[in-house]
Amino acid sequence: MELQVNKTARKGMVLFSTYKRGEAIKRALDIGRENVLFELKTSKLKGRGGAGFPTATKWMLTAAAKSDDKYLVCNADEGEPGTFKDRVLLLEYPALVFDGMVIGGYTIGAKNGIVYLRGEYEYMKQTLEEYLEQMRKDKLLGKKILGVEGFNFDIKIRLGAGAYVCGEETALIESLEGNRGESRNRPPYPVNTGFFGRPTSVNNVETLAAVPHIVAKGGEWYMKIGTDKSSGSKLFSVSGDCNKPGVYELPWGTSIKDLLKIVDAEDTKAVQVGGASGICIPESQFSRTLAYEDAATGGSIMIFNKKRDMLHVLKNFMDFFVEESCGQCTPCRIGNVKLLEGVEKIEKGEFTFDYINNLKELGKTMQIASKCGLGQSSPNSFITILENFKDEILNKCGNGVTA
Ligand SMILES: Cc1cc2nc3c(=O)[nH]c(=O)nc-3n(C[C@H](O)[C@H](O)[C@H](O)COP(=O)(O)O)c2cc1C
Ligand code: SF4
């Protein structure tokens, strides 16, 4: 079996289609900022970092903020377990990501772009720096881009230090400022008060990579791909029990059943959509679709076959969250520990059904009361695995103790 996790496994109609470096920057300059925003709005592009916020709105808000010192940050932290599509984009398609940043800088009026690169991706920093240097030589970056007076934009690369929460945009900004990576209260939002208090647009690598195609081919073209509420294509990082793991570009709206066929998965029991913080889908729901309106994901798809122990899978996820909680707020700091303890008690058969129900309620409280997306989403796998694989877990661990 050929392992393809580092490479593009399936080229699609958007991100992995042909693109000539600089082409969309030229077009953006020809049509002007307002029309770039118009094309983006027409495309209905939503942020690919997980939250799905409309990119045109984010850029309009940052463009409208009153400051002559704005920032565009490319979020390349890629910390969600099972996600590796941004790494592929940066290494195989840097023209898309960096042209997207230049167009973003032009549109929001930023002179500075920063790539926040996951610490573990340090090995690619030199290659990316060389690429940026070539862009400067070709007048696609730096002062007077493509000879246009006043259009100055440059990009720096900064390394993260390995904390999952630093992918959250406000914790990322804290980390960029040299502080401990902890999420901020919102509002104010980064579009007004971001990096060192300046208006800042934080965009995922894949979001930025979609922009040049939209600018070059038009928002209408893009909008027609995918579904009504989820336009365009999506990169899925597929791992686990299948014969063809890798990065796949597919239109939004693809069913899980079809995806399993494409990646040649056999005997599948469960598909974890959206990484450790996502939801676990059982075989009875494989006709569900990958889309914002159904099973949404930042890109991570983990496949588990019938030999896998779902309680063990859950324990792994909960271990991760206990480790990665930044500890600022009680629901997440204590809640994740309680959920992990619960999994361990279930494993030993030391539980009552009331206890499990209370833990599920605790998970729902964490979803509402946690300060940032980490604690708001960490109970998702706990709730969906216990609900969808209840029989398997009870068969293995017994029916608990009498209350
Ligand atoms: C715990 C946590 C980790 C996150 N990690 C990432 C990440 O690695 N990459 C990313 O683009 N967004 C990540 N996000 C989402 C960001 O906060 C933010 O929504 C995103 O970068 C905005 O870009 P977009 O609008 O292009 O999606 C994370 C959010 C949370 C709560
Ligand atoms: S939810 Fe978790 S990661 Fe986010 S602020 Fe609270 S403790 Fe920190």
Side-chain angles (χ1 to χ4, degrees):
M1 184 183 82
E2 191 197 358
L3 196 64
Q4 296 184 307
V5 286
N6 272 318
K7 293 190 287 180
T8 312
R10 177 156 170 146
K11 302 209 173 205
M13 63 298 282
V14 184
L15 292 164
F16 294 157
S17 63
T18 317
Y19 173 73
K20 193 166 157 274
R21 193 171 65 114
E23 176 191 345
I25 302 179
K26 279 193 203 86
R27 175 146 169 81
L29 288 170
D30 285 346
I31 64 176
R33 290 184 176 84
E34 289 302 319
N35 285 320
V36 171
L37 287 172
F38 173 80
E39 294 298 348
L40 273 184
K41 196 165 176 219
T42 309
S43 76
K44 297 194 200 162
L45 175 68
K46 289 182 181 167
R48 301 305 197 222
F53 191 80
T55 309
T57 310
K58 193 181 279 188
W59 283 10
M60 273 175 205
L61 291 168
T62 324
K66 297 223 176 322
S67 170
D68 55 9
D69 188 18
K70 300 183 189 179
Y71 292 83
L72 183 105
V73 174
C74 169
N75 188 344
D77 196 51
E78 193 154 60
E80 186 63 53
T83 317
F84 40 90
K85 44 112 189 161
D86 292 343
R87 173 175 73 187
V88 169
L89 277 175
L90 283 163
L91 278 177
E92 295 184 23
Y93 301 86
L96 286 179
V97 182
F98 293 136
D99 283 13
M101 286 186 77
V102 174
I103 295 167
Y106 169 69
T107 310
I108 66 173
K111 292 186 207 71
N112 295 293
I114 305 170
V115 177
Y116 187 85
L117 187 65
R118 181 188 167 103
E120 290 86 340
Y121 292 172
E122 187 177 5
Y123 69 92
M124 63 168 90
K125 187 165 180 271
Q126 172 85 20
T127 311
L128 297 177
E129 296 281 14
E130 283 164 15
Y131 190 89
L132 291 174
E133 196 45 41
Q134 191 56 50
M135 280 180 80
R136 285 182 199 105
K137 285 185 187 142
D138 297 339
K139 294 269 166 237
L140 293 170
L141 203 61
K143 293 222 160 71
K144 284 207 321 194
I145 291 176
L146 291 176
V148 176
E149 199 65 55
F151 180 22
N152 308 326
F153 182 78
D154 214 326
I155 298 174
K156 286 197 180 97
I157 301 177
R158 298 278 301 272
L159 281 176
Y164 170 60
V165 74
C166 285
E168 194 281 332
E169 59 183 7
T170 59
L172 182 155
I173 290 169
E174 284 289 320
S175 165
L176 274 181
E177 291 180 5
N179 304 322
R180 185 184 152 98
E182 289 183 341
S183 62
R184 293 176 176 173
N185 283 326
R186 294 186 300 178
Y189 293 95
V191 289
N192 289 307
T193 309
F195 183 55
F196 286 113
R198 312 292 199 279
T200 304
S201 176
V202 181
N203 298 100
N204 172 253
V205 172
E206 185 183 347
T207 313
L208 291 163
V211 169
H213 283 297
I214 291 169
V215 171
K217 298 181 187 123
E220 186 116 357
W221 163 81
Y222 189 83
M223 185 262 286
K224 286 185 183 142
I225 302 164
T227 74
D228 197 29
K229 291 195 176 125
S230 310
S231 67
S233 66
K234 178 80 190 88
L235 297 189
F236 298 102
S237 316
V238 182
S239 63
D241 297 318
C242 65
N243 291 314
K244 295 178 185 163
V247 177
Y248 289 77
E249 180 177 7
L250 298 169
W252 277 120
T254 301
S255 72
I256 293 174
K257 207 186 288 165
D258 287 345
L259 178 109
L260 290 172
K261 261 189 230 142
I262 293 166
V263 304
D264 197 9
E266 289 156 12
D267 221 20
T268 306
K269 171 162 68 179
V271 178
Q272 179 77 16
V273 176
S277 61
I279 54 171
C280 195
I281 296 189
E283 196 175 357
S284 58
Q285 296 176 24
F286 285 174
S287 52
R288 288 179 66 177
T289 56
L290 299 162
Y292 292 107
E293 62 272 28
D294 191 352
T297 171
S300 170
I301 303 281
M302 295 182 217
I303 301 173
F304 299 103
N305 70 21
K306 297 205 167 104
K307 291 190 196 124
R308 302 289 167 184
D309 174 346
M310 294 315 288
L311 197 63
H312 181 71
V313 170
L314 177 58
K315 193 173 168 193
N316 230 331
F317 291 158
M318 294 322 302
D319 258 336
F320 172 76
F321 289 121
V322 169
E323 182 74 23
E324 294 297 337
S325 166
C326 83
Q328 257 194 102
C329 70
T330 312
C332 171
R333 183 183 65 245
I334 307 289
N336 282 309
V337 172
K338 292 286 164 203
L339 296 187
L340 176 60
E341 268 174 25
V343 175
E344 286 165 350
K345 285 197 173 154
I346 296 169
E347 216 174 17
K348 290 185 203 143
E350 295 169 5
F351 64 92
T352 63
F353 286 102
D354 273 354
Y355 174 64
I356 295 187
N357 287 337
N358 285 342
L359 286 178
K360 281 199 216 155
E361 286 309 309
L362 170 66
K364 287 176 191 161
T365 307
M366 289 165 66
Q367 288 172 330
I368 301 164
S370 294
K371 182 174 172 182
C372 85
L374 191 152
Q376 288 160 8
S377 60
S378 63
N380 291 346
S381 48
F382 185 89
I383 293 170
T384 53
I385 290 181
L386 285 189
E387 269 168 13
N388 295 329
F389 300 93
K390 191 172 157 201
D391 291 345
E392 170 189 323
I393 292 169
L394 292 183
N395 276 338
K396 180 171 173 263
C397 307
N399 280 312
V401 292
T402 317

